[in-house]
Amino acid sequence: MSIEGGCRCSAVRYTLSIDHLPPTYACHCLDCQTWSGSTFSQQALLPEEAVHISGPVVFYDRTTGDRTSHQRMCGICHTRLYNTNTRRPGIAVMRAGTLDDSDRLDVVAHIWVKRKQPWLIVPEGVPSWPESAPPEDFLPLLMG
Ligand SMILES: [Zn+2]
Ligand SMILES: [Zn+2]
């Protein structure tokens, strides 16, 4: 089984070398709301070498303090597909909604819930944090 996804116009496609759909998290921060144009961002964390992307990818770097987020997006329709960050080299942050099977994903954690839209209720038992989560709690949920 291969896990695949791509942008809205299909010019950029990717395959993930993993054998099941990855767990995802929701980030409710203002930046994610603005950037996604939506309620929250839904993302998966994967080793960067597991991502095989093809097509006209373009890049956008955003530096905040001492860290730079290196975004990959389709050069035609500008869908964001994933990014890496100098703070955590080697980890790809995938936009989970770009997966072909995005309707079958689980959200295993919610962060920045102090900024979430009020109608959205985090299901009981799903870990959530008011702001960012401590990596030692967060990464095992997402990366095993
Ligand atoms: Zn596209
Ligand atoms: Zn966010």
Side-chain angles (χ1 to χ4, degrees):
M1 173 176 178
S2 70
I3 309 289
E4 295 181 26
C7 69
R8 178 67 181 89
C9 80
S10 304
V12 174
R13 294 287 301 164
Y14 63 78
T15 301
L16 305 180
S17 40
I18 50 178
D19 53 14
H20 53 82
L21 282 170
T24 67
Y25 68 96
C27 180
H28 301 265
C29 80
L30 175 59
D31 289 344
C32 284
Q33 291 178 350
T34 303
W35 214 335
S36 67
S38 188
T39 312
F40 55 82
S41 64
Q42 187 184 1
Q43 301 174 142
L45 301 180
L46 293 170
E48 192 178 358
E49 64 264 21
V51 184
H52 309 281
I53 192 164
S54 62
V57 175
V58 294
F59 304 95
Y60 169 67
D61 283 353
R62 181 169 172 88
T63 299
T64 313
D66 60 352
R67 66 184 77 150
T68 297
S69 161
H70 190 48
Q71 303 280 334
R72 279 83 163 171
M73 64 202 87
C74 171
I76 298 170
C77 72
H78 294 184
T79 302
R80 280 196 309 149
L81 297 151
Y82 75 100
N83 71 277
T84 51
N85 193 302
T86 52
R87 194 169 60 137
R88 292 215 186 88
I91 296 181
V93 185
M94 301 297 305
R95 310 290 153 233
T98 64
L99 285 160
D100 292 347
D101 291 332
S102 57
D103 58 335
R104 296 200 296 116
L105 295 168
D106 271 340
V107 176
V108 301
H110 290 258
I111 59 173
W112 280 94
V113 294
K114 75 175 193 186
R115 191 60 180 66
K116 75 176 177 59
Q117 294 194 12
W119 55 266
L120 190 148
I121 309 298
V122 174
E124 194 126 359
V126 176
S128 68
W129 288 267
E131 297 184 3
S132 335
E136 64 271 22
D137 295 334
F138 193 61
L139 292 178
L141 289 171
L142 275 303
M143 300 193 80

